[in-house]
């Protein structure tokens, strides 16, 4: 069984939270199957079989030709958080780290993507958690991802459609968050294609670094 | 055997329920039901899978074609609540409905499980009421977490009954009663994708683990719920799960 010392309860990810991606997809949103742009954060779970750690080798799913990765700032809740305002939301954060979401390429956001998103060991979180009081403003952070040493993605948290405190507030009105629940707040719109044996490294300067490698 | 979990004098207890509905501790001590709070019968809930549109009549009720592949979504463990406990109706909505579902609970870890071996991986069954709030549906990861993963909106129980005590699950009667009135009636015979199929399907994607649960979908018969309503979801041979609908303010109290 996969496990991770950081993630104790729920691991909730936010899709479609890159403002540039949202802007680029407006025309698509008006078409079927969506018919309207999302009015709420688009959330999905990475269930416990997916949890994994820094340094883990990521299994290549049998019979699949392609995989992608996205990286996100991961907010680790420090205490129970129920129906909080955005103004008070950061008081409930225990710390910050990184998450890699390895998945199959996604054809659409219409139905939950269980096949693509629930692969064993596909959600490493870590390495270390930096205490919340060491980060004055999460919006000032940038997540940089490299594959085999080459930068493939940069996502400044200022580019998120909904900020960390806004997301915590909204999610805490759907589900009570507990200490050790983790919220991955946003990925760059276009996920990065990866190959077998690729080394994937994400970093937030001065805060966290997460290293994984795809299996041969 | 029926296995349940209750809160008694502030302590969580594992109990069994006998055929006379007596609540018994391992040493044979009987508990008074009036003095317990029923909890989710699965001690360490794992991944909660739920099936959308898994009964043909329900699919047509919602104006969908029956799916050709299981429509699976995940629910958070924050949704789980015990027998005879409250579930809340959000303030700002028009339509919240129950969904009476047979839940298969995984008892053994496995990956790539063949259909013919699937039942070896099932510990037993329980009943859930997979409430949905239709007002919050959007076409992004539909049914989205706002519809299906709200606190308290998956009552489950009363107990987990051993697989062998139920036997054949391919033709069990499901009923829902609201304030005593029969509002939903169906049979697991009308399930599109049955439990062995779902175990094979899901375990091809991911490793199933003890405590994982598969809520297998609901037949037709939707009805709006209001605070004050008492809903009983019953599945033949498995159990009858009672839930009390309360307002959002009542549910959250000081945090409202």
């Amino acid at each position: 069984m996969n496990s991770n010392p950081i993630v104790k309860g729920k691991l909730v990810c936010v899709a479609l939270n890159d403002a540039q991606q949202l802007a680029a997809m407006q025309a698509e949103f008006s078409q079927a199957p969506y018919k309207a742009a999302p009015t709420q954060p688009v959330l999905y779970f990475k269930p416990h079989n997916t949890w994994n750690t820094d340094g883990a080798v990521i299994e290549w799913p049998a019979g699949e030709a392609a995989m992608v990765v996205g990286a996100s700032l991961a907010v680790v809740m420090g205490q129970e958080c129920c129906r909080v305002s955005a103004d008070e939301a950061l008081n409930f954060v225990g710390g910050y780290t990184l998450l890699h979401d390895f998945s199959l390429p996604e054809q659409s956001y219409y139905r939950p993507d269980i096949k693509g998103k629930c692969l064993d060991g596909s959600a490493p979180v870590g390495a270390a958690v930096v205490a919340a009081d060491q980060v004055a403003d999460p919006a000032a952070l940038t997540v940089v991802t490299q594959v085999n040493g080459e930068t493939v993605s940069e996502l400044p948290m200022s580019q998120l459609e909904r900020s960390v405190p806004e997301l915590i507030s909204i999610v805490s009105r759907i589900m009570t968050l507990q200490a050790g629940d983790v919220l991955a707040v946003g990925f760059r719109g276009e996920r990065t294609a990866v190959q077998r044996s690729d080394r994937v490294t994400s970093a937030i300067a001065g805060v966290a670094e997460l290293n994984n490698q795809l299996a041969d | 055997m029926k296995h349940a979990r209750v809160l008694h004098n502030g302590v969580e207890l594992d109990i069994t329920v006998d055929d006379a509905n007596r609540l018994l501790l391992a040493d044979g001590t009987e508990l008074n039901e009036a003095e317990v709070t029923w909890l989710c019968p699965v001690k360490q809930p794992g991944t909660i899978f739920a099936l959308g549109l898994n009964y043909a009549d329900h699919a047509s009720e919602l104006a969908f074609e029956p799916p050709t592949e299981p429509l699976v979504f995940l629910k958070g463990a924050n949704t789980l609540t015990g027998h005879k406990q409250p579930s809340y109706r959000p303030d700002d909505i028009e339509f919240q409905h129950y969904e009476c579902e047979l839940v298969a609970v995984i008892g053994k870890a496995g990956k790539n499980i063949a259909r013919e071996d699937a039942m070896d991986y099932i510990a037993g069954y329980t009943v859930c009421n997979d409430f949905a709030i239709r007002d919050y549906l959007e076409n992004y990861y539909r049914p989205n977490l706002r519809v299906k993963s709200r606190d308290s909106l998956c009552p489950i129980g009363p107990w987990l009954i051993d697989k062998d005590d139920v036997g054949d699950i391919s033709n069990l009667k499901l009923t829902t009663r609201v304030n005593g009135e029969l509002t939903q009636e169906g049979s697991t015979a009308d399930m599109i994708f049955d439990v062995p199929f779902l175990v094979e399907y899901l375990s091809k994607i991911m490793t199933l683990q003890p405590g994982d649960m598969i809520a297998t979908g609901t037949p037709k018969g939707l009805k709006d719920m209001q605070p004050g309503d008492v809903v009983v979801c019953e599945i033949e041979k498995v159990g009858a799960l009672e839930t009390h609908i309360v307002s959002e303010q009542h549910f959250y109290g000081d945090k409202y």
Side-chain angles (χ1 to χ4, degrees):
Chain A
M1 178 178 163
N2 301 292
S3 64
N4 179 296
I6 300 166
V7 190
K8 305 276 195 271
K10 300 180 280 288
L11 175 45
V12 180
C13 299
V14 187
L16 294 175
N17 198 31
D18 172 354
Q20 282 186 7
Q21 177 192 23
L22 278 173
M25 289 183 72
Q26 285 302 315
E28 196 177 323
F29 291 152
S30 64
Q31 310 289 316
Y34 310 118
K35 296 177 184 163
T39 69
Q40 297 288 321
V42 177
L43 307 174
Y44 62 96
F45 288 115
K46 294 285 281 192
H48 67 154
N49 68 300
T50 69
W51 302 347
N52 216 332
T53 54
D54 177 54
V57 173
I58 308 301
E59 204 177 307
W60 192 277
E64 299 294 341
M67 278 186 87
V68 295
V69 67
S72 173
L73 170 68
V75 177
V76 184
M77 302 311 296
Q79 54 177 303
E80 184 174 286
C81 175
C82 176
R83 302 169 71 87
V84 300
S85 69
D87 286 344
E88 57 185 342
L90 294 184
N91 299 335
F92 294 83
V93 174
Y96 299 94
T97 186
L98 280 160
L99 168 137
H100 281 152
D101 177 12
F102 290 92
S103 61
L104 304 182
E106 194 162 21
Q107 307 308 319
S108 127
Y109 294 94
Y110 176 49
R111 289 295 190 188
D113 181 22
I114 303 301
K115 270 184 173 171
K117 290 281 201 295
C118 295
L119 305 171
D120 285 347
S122 63
V125 177
V129 178
V130 169
D133 60 12
Q134 303 298 304
V135 177
D137 178 11
L141 306 176
T142 295
V143 179
V144 179
T145 302
Q146 297 189 322
V147 174
N148 302 327
E150 190 178 323
T151 299
V152 292
S153 156
E154 281 193 45
L155 181 65
M157 294 298 96
S158 57
Q159 192 178 309
L160 296 184
E161 176 74 10
R162 288 188 181 83
S163 68
V164 171
E166 282 177 277
L167 287 169
I168 292 171
S169 173
I170 294 171
V171 173
S172 79
R173 285 166 195 278
I174 298 173
M175 54 183 97
T176 300
L177 297 168
Q178 305 290 344
D181 283 354
V182 173
L183 188 61
V185 293
F187 304 83
R188 209 178 62 119
E190 197 177 330
R191 304 261 174 140
T192 302
V194 287
Q195 312 291 330
R196 289 175 193 270
S197 314
D198 278 353
R199 288 177 292 109
V200 180
T201 298
S202 292
I204 299 171
V207 174
E209 183 171 311
L210 175 61
N211 288 280
N212 295 106
Q213 184 162 17
L214 277 299
D216 290 338
Chain B
M1 186 106 74
K2 296 168 185 162
H3 311 269
R5 295 181 64 248
V6 295
L7 194 62
H8 182 259
N9 293 334
V11 182
E12 290 187 15
L13 298 172
D14 295 311
I15 62 164
T16 58
V17 181
D18 73 6
D19 292 338
N21 281 327
R22 294 184 307 164
L23 280 52
L24 302 171
L25 295 174
D27 66 3
T29 308
E30 183 177 351
L31 300 180
N32 180 353
E33 199 203 334
E35 294 170 2
V36 307
T37 301
W38 293 86
L39 303 172
C40 168
V42 178
K43 193 169 191 167
Q44 289 181 305
T47 302
I48 307 165
F49 302 96
L51 271 287
L53 309 175
N54 198 31
Y55 283 78
D57 58 357
H58 179 59
S60 64
E61 178 180 39
L62 296 176
F64 280 96
E65 290 290 317
T68 54
E69 185 173 343
L71 167 56
V72 183
F73 57 94
L74 303 182
K75 295 171 68 71
N78 63 300
T79 62
L80 300 173
T81 187
H83 178 50
K84 296 189 176 174
Q85 298 308 304
S87 287
Y88 81 93
R89 176 190 167 93
D91 293 336
D92 59 342
I93 61 158
E94 297 292 323
F95 197 35
Q96 166 178 355
H97 63 77
Y98 51 74
E99 297 190 359
C100 174
E101 309 198 8
L102 176 68
V103 180
V105 180
I106 301 294
K108 186 167 85 166
K111 179 109 204 287
N112 295 318
I113 302 164
R115 179 188 169 89
E116 48 271 25
D117 300 329
M119 297 310 284
D120 297 344
Y121 293 80
I122 303 293
Y125 308 102
T126 186
V127 181
C128 82
N129 184 346
D130 182 20
F131 281 112
I133 297 159
R134 301 203 65 77
D135 303 60
Y136 295 156
L137 277 168
E138 294 195 61
N139 289 326
Y140 296 87
Y141 295 147
R142 178 185 173 127
N144 33 317
L145 271 55
R146 195 165 171 243
V147 176
K148 285 290 192 179
S149 270
R150 304 185 77 80
D151 291 343
S152 85
L153 287 184
C154 193
I156 185 164
W159 44 67
L160 170 66
I161 183 168
D162 290 335
K163 158 182 70 177
D164 293 340
D165 292 346
V166 180
D168 181 16
I169 54 166
S170 67
N171 190 15
L172 301 176
K173 187 174 171 188
L174 292 83
T175 54
T176 300
R177 287 184 166 79
V178 178
N179 306 326
E181 180 197 344
L182 182 68
T183 52
Q184 184 182 36
E185 195 167 17
S187 165
T188 57
D190 297 323
M191 228 181 251
I192 298 171
F193 301 106
D194 64 10
V195 169
F197 181 98
L198 293 169
V199 168
E200 179 176 88
Y201 176 83
L202 292 169
S203 72
K204 199 173 286 181
I205 299 167
M206 59 204 287
T207 302
L208 297 179
Q209 290 162 353
D212 288 356
M213 295 169 238
I214 306 174
T216 54
T218 199
K220 78 168 182 182
L222 305 182
K223 189 177 184 299
D224 183 37
M225 300 279 85
Q226 291 292 337
D229 285 347
V230 176
V231 191
V232 178
C233 292
E234 181 163 8
I235 299 179
E236 184 186 358
K237 294 186 182 172
V238 178
L241 169 69
E242 179 180 312
T243 302
H244 301 246
I245 308 296
V246 299
S247 68
E248 189 167 2
Q249 182 167 17
H250 180 277
F251 184 79
Y252 282 107
D254 293 347
K255 290 174 182 154
Y256 178 70

